Amino acid sequence: MAWRLRLVPEKTNIDFFKLQFITFGVSALAVVVSLLAVAILGLNFGIDFKGGTTIRTESTQAVDIGVYRDAMSTLELGDVSITEVFDPSFRADQHVAMIRIQAQEGAEAVTPETIGVIEAALKAVDPAITFPSVESVGPKVSSELIWSALLAVAAGAAGIWVYVWIRFEWQFAVGTVAALIHDVVVTVGVFAIFGLKFDLTIVAALLTILGYSVNDTVVIFDRLRENLAKYKTMPLREMMNLTANETLSRTIMTATTTMLSLIALIVFGGDVIRGFVFAMLFGVIIGTYSTLYVAKNIVLFLGLDRSDKPKGGKPASHEFANIDA
């Protein structure tokens, strides 16, 4: 028999409801604290949401983000984001970067004089550099982006709610969406508490967290639906514990492999994607927690009508039934 690595024992009997009021209370407290942090401390919005100026650069020399950043560090421009742009259509000697500078105090955009100083500083370290375009984003556009981001997250949660309701029952949909709201709000709260930069990449991370969390939750609910048909007289609480233990191997394995990739990215990925990766890493942790301790707990509180469950019939084999962790 081949040796296989297991992250959890083949069979577990963990009582996920043993401390249900403590775990659920911690989750509720975390949501409240996060909302208060956002309301009181606010978010450290990046250029996408605060407005600013974007300068596109081109050069025949390779882009060195560290050198560019050092050249601009003495100009006291505030939040500056520098990213290299890659495109298959670029020539071999065409190296492009985008430099985004936050709106300066008392002005909607960086003044032409300041742009001239920036260009001179960059030319000093790269004489071949050119500046094909300079664009500014004002506060009005930035406020529209904030609303668009909120609508995107809300639309994602609403779509998931409808999907789970159609596939399962309304109690499952309520539990799923409550867990998703918990994940998003707590993640945003962490950004508010620690003053981490919040920009459009973080919104993308939040939407990705929604997808990851609902995938984990649906796997458990799918197994729960099978068990509802299989164990018709088993109390709902015991059945949910059985279901969570049956799928625990898959849940832990998915979370662990995902986190290994994200840890590698957060260590070696550089500053450009670090905020996005941190949001994803925290989202995977909190999403796994909410799958086990929030979504199904709410379904238990709401209860299920088991009178119309299918009579007889062998439940379909689950695609994750025999996955080892």
Side-chain angles (χ1 to χ4, degrees):
M1 180 178 177
W3 180 83
R4 292 178 295 178
L5 173 66
R6 293 183 182 278
L7 300 181
V8 297
E10 185 174 3
K11 291 185 179 180
T12 59
N13 189 29
I14 301 172
D15 185 357
F16 290 98
F17 294 98
K18 183 177 181 180
L19 302 174
Q20 61 178 325
F21 294 107
I22 294 177
T23 56
F24 201 76
V26 168
S27 296
L29 180 62
V31 170
V32 172
V33 170
S34 297
L35 291 173
L36 290 175
V38 173
I40 297 172
L41 301 176
L43 290 170
N44 179 21
F45 286 121
I47 296 170
D48 297 327
F49 297 132
K50 289 194 298 188
T53 297
T54 300
I55 302 174
R56 178 187 174 97
T57 71
E58 288 191 16
S59 178
T60 55
Q61 298 183 23
V63 174
D64 189 325
I65 293 177
V67 171
Y68 284 14
R69 192 179 298 279
D70 289 342
M72 300 173 60
S73 62
T74 60
L75 303 181
E76 298 182 354
L77 298 171
D79 185 13
V80 176
S81 173
I82 306 174
T83 57
E84 186 172 1
V85 179
F86 298 96
D87 194 302
S89 64
F90 288 167
R91 303 184 310 272
D93 64 343
Q94 185 179 9
H95 304 282
V96 180
M98 301 295 289
I99 301 174
R100 295 187 295 174
I101 306 164
Q102 72 175 46
Q104 304 301 294
E105 188 174 350
E108 292 191 1
V110 178
T111 63
E113 292 78 12
T114 303
I115 292 175
V117 173
I118 294 169
E119 293 178 353
L122 292 174
K123 277 186 174 293
V125 297
D126 183 0
I129 198 169
T130 60
F131 306 93
S133 65
V134 177
E135 299 177 350
S136 296
V137 177
K140 182 178 180 181
V141 175
S142 298
S143 63
E144 291 175 356
L145 283 175
I146 293 175
W147 281 110
S148 297
L150 291 172
L151 288 175
V153 175
I160 290 170
W161 176 69
V162 172
Y163 161 75
V164 176
W165 191 349
I166 291 173
R167 182 171 178 181
F168 299 100
E169 297 179 27
W170 69 268
Q171 294 95 329
F172 291 89
V174 172
T176 300
V177 172
L180 296 181
I181 293 173
H182 166 273
D183 298 344
V184 170
V185 171
V186 174
T187 302
V188 173
V190 168
F191 273 76
I193 291 171
F194 293 101
L196 303 175
K197 188 193 302 180
F198 192 92
D199 53 24
L200 284 177
T201 63
I202 307 306
V203 177
L206 295 178
L207 292 172
T208 308
I209 290 169
L210 290 181
Y212 176 88
S213 185
V214 74
N215 178 64
D216 251 8
T217 304
V218 165
V219 167
I220 292 180
F221 283 172
D222 209 24
R223 177 62 68 88
L224 177 59
R225 183 170 58 179
E226 294 175 2
N227 286 340
L228 285 169
K230 186 177 180 181
Y231 305 105
K232 300 183 184 301
T233 60
M234 181 182 291
L236 186 58
R237 172 171 168 159
E238 293 181 20
M239 187 182 302
M240 285 187 167
N241 261 329
L242 172 66
T243 301
N245 280 282
E246 286 178 342
T247 56
L248 184 62
S249 157
R250 183 263 175 201
T251 299
I252 298 300
M253 183 174 67
T254 302
T256 301
T257 53
T258 305
M259 285 191 292
L260 287 175
S261 301
L262 293 172
I263 290 171
L265 283 174
I266 206 168
V267 173
F268 302 109
D271 292 337
V272 175
I273 63 170
R274 188 156 291 145
F276 171 84
V277 177
F278 172 79
M280 280 294 302
L281 182 60
F282 183 80
V284 168
I285 296 171
I286 199 71
T288 303
Y289 171 85
S290 68
T291 294
L292 294 172
Y293 289 102
V294 177
K296 62 184 183 57
N297 293 46
I298 291 178
V299 174
L300 179 63
F301 295 155
L302 294 174
L304 290 173
D305 180 9
R306 303 171 65 180
S307 60
D308 60 347
K309 298 301 168 193
K311 307 294 183 184
K314 187 177 180 180
S317 176
H318 194 282
E319 65 174 304
F320 300 112
N322 298 312
I323 291 181
D324 291 316

